[in-house]
Amino acid sequence: MDSMTHDAERLERMSGMLKRRGIILPAFEIHGGAKGLYDFGPVGGRLRNRVNQTWINHWLALGNIVELSCPTVTPYAVLEASGHVGEFSDFMTVCTACEEASRADTLLEASHPNPDALTQSELQSLLFEINPTCPNCNEQSWSEVSAQNLMFNTTIGAGSSGRPGFLRPETAQGMFTSFSALLRHNRDRLPFGAIQVGKGYRNEISPRQGMIRLREFNMAELEYFINPHEQQLHDFSQWAGIEMRLLPDGQEEVKMSIEDAVSSNTVRHSTVGFFMAQTYDFLVKVGIDPERLRFRQHEADEMAHYAMDCWDAEILGSYGWVECVGIAHRGCYDLEAHEKATGKTLRARREFSEPKVVEIDGWTMNGATAGPAFRALAGAVKKAVEGLDASTSFPTLVTLASGEEVDVSPEHVKRVQRTETISGEWYIPHVVEPAFGIDRIIWHILDHAYDDTGKDGDSYTVLRLNNSIAPVDYCVFPLFEKEGMGEMARTLHRTLCAAPGIVSVYDSSGSIGRRYARADEIGVPHCLTVDHQSIEDGTVTVRNRDTGEQHRVHTDDLL
RNA sequence: GCGGAUAUGGUGUAGUGGUAACAUAGGAGGUUUCCAACCUCUUGUCGCGGGUUCGACUCCCGCUAUCCGCACCA
C-alpha cells in the first residue's frame, strides 16, 4: 500500500513536471480542454520527433523498407472494405420514454442468435418487430437505430456533392490500398515492407489514464508483405544472448531467446518472431528498460478477426502493464478485402520451381459462324461448348445453362488441342504488421527515465533520456555574463544551433547549480560552461548529466 | 455512458458571501571561480456558462476537464 501511494505521488510529480516544462500538456486548455487530446509542448515536440525518426531509421536499416505518407482523411468505402465500419460501430437506439441509450444488438440478443452480425437496417426492422422492453424504464418505444462509430466522421467535399469519410483509425489501410505501387517499386519481389508514421483517430467513449488512451494519437506501423508459400528465413543470431520475457497464450511467463521461441513454435511464425526481436531492439534503443518489457500473446478469442498470431509488447509503468506495440500476422485478410471490394488485383507473382504442363483438349465456339447463328444465345452456347468432353461429336444437342437446348453443327465449333506451360501463379501476399503506439511508448520512456530521488532524501529531478532522443542536446552557460564570457557563450550557442540536427539552449540566469538542475530536469545530456579559462584558451567544460563529471573540450572539437 | 471525488498564479497548496495568501518556479539587478545558496525589485491566479444576492472565487444549477471504480475499448 505504501508503494502504491508512493507510485501515485511520483506519477503526480512527474505529470506536473511534464506540464511545467512543456513536454506533455492538455490541449486547448484555455478553452476548457478536450478529453483525450494532448499537446507535445516546446520540449516534447522534439522528443516525439526524435522518437519517430529513430523508429523510421530503425526499419529503413533492414534494407527492403520504404516510407509512405498517406492521408488521414479516408473515404468511407476504404474503411468499409477493411471491416472498420462494421467492427468499429455500435448501433444505438434511444428509449423515447426515458431517453436512455442502449445498444440495439444487446436489446435483441434474446430474439436473434447473432444480432451483432446484423446490418443497421436489419437491426432497425427487427427492433421494431420485437419491440423489446427498455431495461431502464420497461417502456417499449424506441427511436431509429443510429450508428455510433468509434471513428471520426467527416465529409470529403463541400455541400451536397460531399462524400462520407472518416479520419483514419490506423495508418495501415493507405499502405494496403497502394500495394500495387509498392510492388512495382520493389520490382515485383517480395518480401518488402512499407512504414508510415502519422496520426490516427479513434473517438473513444471514455479516454483515460492520460496518454494511454487518446482520441488522436501518434502511430507508427510497418506492413511487411511476404509470400506465404515460402519459408521466411531470419537470422536470429544477434539476439542469441537475450532472454525475452514471453507470456504465451494461457501459460505462465517464460524467459527464452527469440530463436528458441520460434523453433519451439511458441511464436508461430518466424517473421513475427523477427519483428518481436526488432521491436525489442527499438524499444531498448529509445530508453525502455528491458526488465520492464514483455511480450504477451493474444488469446484466440481476443485476437482480431483476421489475425493468425498476435503478440503485444507490453511495458510496465505507472499504469501497470500497458500494450504499446502489437505485432500481428494478418494473413491475406487486408489485401483480399480490398480486392473483393474493388475488383482490382492486389497480388504478387510467384514462379513454380518446375513449370506445370497442362494438356488442353476440348472444344470452343467458332465465333464467325456461331455468332450469326445463335445471336443472343451465342455467349451461353460458347460456355456450354467449352464444357463439353473432347470426345463429343457434332452435330449434337447442347444444353445451355438456362436449360434451353440448341442444335450445334460442326461448323459452329473448333477443336482446341494444345499444351500449356504454366510457370507460376498470382497470389495474395500475407502481411505481418508491427504497429507502435508512439504516445504510449513516449510515456513509458519518460516514466522509465524520470528519476527524482536525489541524494540525502532531497528531491532532485533528472530525466535520464538516451542521447539519441533527448529533446535538447546542449545547454550553454556562461559562468558569469561578464568579461566576455556571455558573448563567447552566445556565439557558441548560435554555432551549435546552426549545426544540422543539434538543439542548444542558452541560459544565463541563476546560479550555475540552478541552471544544471533545470537542464537535468528535461534530460539535456551535456551542459557546456564558458568560464574564465575559456576566454584564454577556447575550451569549455562539458558536464555529463548522469555522472556530473566534467572535462574540458575545445569548442572547435564539439561538433 | 453510470456512480463517487475534485477544479485557486507556470507548478504544488491555503482561504473567505465584501475581488485572494503561502511555497516554489519565472523576469531584472546585485553577489558568487561550476551543481536548486543569498539580497533587492518584479510578472502572474479563483475552469466555463447561467442563477440567487446590493455584492459570488465562496451558495445553487448546468457544462467542460481531471482522478478513482464499473461499463466500453485494444
Side-chain angles (χ1 to χ4, degrees):
Chain A
M1 203 58 202
D2 258 10
S3 75
M4 285 299 286
T5 54
H6 177 265
D7 286 352
E9 283 168 13
R10 177 180 179 276
L11 180 56
E12 271 178 34
R13 289 195 303 274
M14 184 169 107
S15 301
M17 185 280 282
L18 294 176
K19 196 174 170 188
R20 178 163 36 86
R21 298 306 308 271
I23 298 175
I24 292 165
L25 40 165
F28 312 119
E29 209 182 8
I30 62 168
H31 285 280
K35 212 172 189 175
L37 301 177
Y38 280 83
D39 285 338
F40 285 100
V43 174
R46 184 138 196 283
L47 173 64
R48 190 204 66 140
N49 195 284
R50 292 196 112 176
V51 171
N52 281 351
Q53 197 57 53
T54 305
W55 188 88
I56 290 167
N57 292 341
H58 183 81
W59 295 110
L60 289 181
L62 293 183
N64 60 343
I65 307 290
V66 292
E67 186 184 353
L68 260 58
S69 179
C70 304
T72 58
V73 175
T74 309
Y76 185 95
V78 173
L79 292 158
E80 185 182 40
S82 68
H84 285 90
V85 172
E87 288 293 316
F88 272 62
S89 284
D90 286 334
F91 292 110
M92 306 295 291
T93 181
V94 177
C95 172
T96 55
C98 70
E99 301 202 337
E100 173 94 349
S102 296
R103 280 177 57 169
D105 58 340
T106 311
L107 290 170
L108 296 168
E109 260 166 6
S111 323
H112 190 278
N114 188 15
D116 200 29
L118 296 177
T119 66
Q120 182 170 0
S121 59
E122 286 166 346
L123 277 169
Q124 176 81 74
S125 39
L126 190 62
L127 179 76
F128 285 179
E129 185 192 322
I130 305 288
N131 203 16
T133 53
C134 173
N136 189 45
C137 69
N138 289 324
E139 288 294 317
Q140 291 179 289
S141 173
W142 297 101
S143 72
E144 305 252 313
V145 173
S146 62
Q148 295 289 306
N149 201 286
L150 292 178
M151 295 189 288
F152 282 92
N153 284 297
T154 189
T155 304
I156 307 174
S160 55
S161 64
R163 301 166 62 201
F166 298 104
L167 298 182
R168 66 183 178 194
E170 59 177 27
T171 66
Q173 296 310 320
M175 299 194 266
F176 295 134
T177 53
S178 52
F179 175 76
S180 303
L182 291 169
L183 184 65
R184 195 182 330 124
H185 173 85
N186 286 282
R187 293 206 300 285
D188 299 343
R189 277 189 293 242
L190 266 64
F192 63 81
I195 56 172
Q196 183 168 191
V197 174
K199 297 279 195 174
Y201 302 83
R202 292 183 193 180
N203 209 350
E204 296 282 355
I205 293 169
S206 179
R208 281 285 173 83
Q209 299 177 307
M211 300 283 290
I212 303 302
R213 258 169 72 200
L214 300 172
R215 289 200 164 121
E216 171 173 329
F217 46 95
N218 293 282
M219 55 198 324
E221 296 182 303
L222 161 62
E223 309 302 330
Y224 196 72
F225 298 94
I226 55 175
N227 177 350
H229 306 284
E230 219 169 56
Q231 207 185 349
Q232 301 298 316
L233 298 172
H234 298 284
D235 180 4
F236 292 107
S237 58
Q238 72 181 100
W239 297 282
I242 298 174
E243 299 274 294
M244 296 195 186
R245 297 178 66 169
L246 302 180
L247 215 55
D249 178 17
Q251 293 173 44
E252 295 292 300
E253 179 176 312
V254 293
K255 283 196 147 196
M256 63 168 96
S257 74
I258 197 68
E259 182 156 26
D260 291 346
V262 170
S263 60
S264 64
N265 208 36
T266 305
V267 173
R268 298 183 201 132
H269 193 280
S270 65
T271 303
V272 172
F274 177 68
F275 286 144
M276 287 166 69
Q278 287 289 349
T279 297
Y280 178 94
D281 278 0
F282 167 75
L283 292 173
V284 171
K285 195 190 288 181
V286 293
I288 295 298
D289 175 5
E291 293 301 311
R292 283 179 274 181
L293 169 61
R294 73 179 185 195
F295 289 89
R296 191 177 68 83
Q297 188 174 35
H298 277 211
E299 295 159 29
D301 60 353
E302 174 189 31
M303 228 180 294
H305 50 290
Y306 46 74
M308 297 168 69
D309 192 14
C310 187
W311 287 80
D312 287 343
E314 298 185 327
I315 305 175
L316 181 61
S318 320
Y319 295 112
W321 287 101
V322 172
E323 168 201 344
C324 294
V325 184
I327 301 163
H329 190 309
R330 298 171 70 120
C332 64
Y333 174 82
D334 301 279
L335 292 175
E336 190 176 47
H338 287 292
E339 262 202 355
K340 278 185 184 156
T342 61
K344 309 282 185 204
T345 303
L346 300 174
R347 298 190 180 214
R349 173 87 183 168
R350 74 178 179 114
E351 302 300 316
F352 298 133
S353 52
E354 297 222 355
K356 290 180 184 172
V357 178
V358 182
E359 298 291 341
I360 294 176
D361 190 4
W363 299 93
T364 189
M365 193 178 78
N366 183 351
T369 53
F374 297 110
R375 295 186 173 263
L377 292 176
V381 172
K382 184 177 185 194
K383 238 181 199 158
V385 166
E386 285 177 352
L388 293 174
D389 195 83
S391 61
T392 309
S393 62
F394 296 88
T396 186
L397 213 53
V398 172
T399 311
L400 305 184
S402 61
E404 204 172 338
E405 296 194 324
V406 291
D407 272 311
V408 178
S409 313
E411 70 266 25
H412 294 145
V413 295
K414 286 191 288 198
R415 185 74 186 264
V416 179
Q417 269 181 309
R418 63 170 192 272
T419 303
E420 263 188 16
T421 305
I422 301 171
S423 61
E425 67 174 355
W426 293 91
Y427 66 94
I428 304 181
H430 283 195
V431 173
V432 181
E433 176 201 76
F436 290 65
I438 294 294
D439 308 281
R440 290 181 176 188
I441 291 169
I442 289 177
W443 173 264
H444 286 94
I445 290 170
L446 293 167
D447 198 345
H448 292 186
Y450 181 80
D451 176 2
D452 66 354
T453 53
K455 285 178 234 158
D456 312 324
D458 293 336
S459 161
Y460 187 91
T461 302
V462 185
L463 206 54
R464 301 190 192 282
L465 298 173
N466 287 0
N467 291 7
S468 60
I469 58 153
V472 175
D473 301 284
Y474 295 106
C475 278
V476 179
F477 306 144
L479 192 54
F480 308 108
E481 223 177 10
K482 57 185 183 187
E483 294 165 33
M485 286 183 277
E487 207 160 292
M488 181 174 169
R490 277 176 206 281
T491 305
L492 175 58
H493 164 65
R494 279 194 294 267
T495 308
L496 289 169
C497 284
I502 301 286
V503 166
S504 159
V505 164
Y506 179 84
D507 187 357
S508 65
S509 76
S511 72
I512 194 73
R514 175 176 298 243
R515 284 178 266 167
Y516 285 142
R518 279 196 284 247
D520 288 343
E521 199 173 39
I522 59 165
V524 183
H526 299 105
C527 293
L528 310 176
T529 301
V530 173
D531 58 14
H532 293 101
Q533 190 183 330
S534 308
I535 305 297
E536 290 161 21
D537 63 9
T539 65
V540 295
T541 65
V542 179
R543 170 201 180 256
N544 180 290
R545 177 193 66 208
D546 296 323
T547 63
E549 282 165 13
Q550 297 186 10
H551 60 280
R552 298 200 74 89
V553 173
H554 198 277
T555 54
D556 293 345
D557 300 331
L558 278 170
L559 292 175

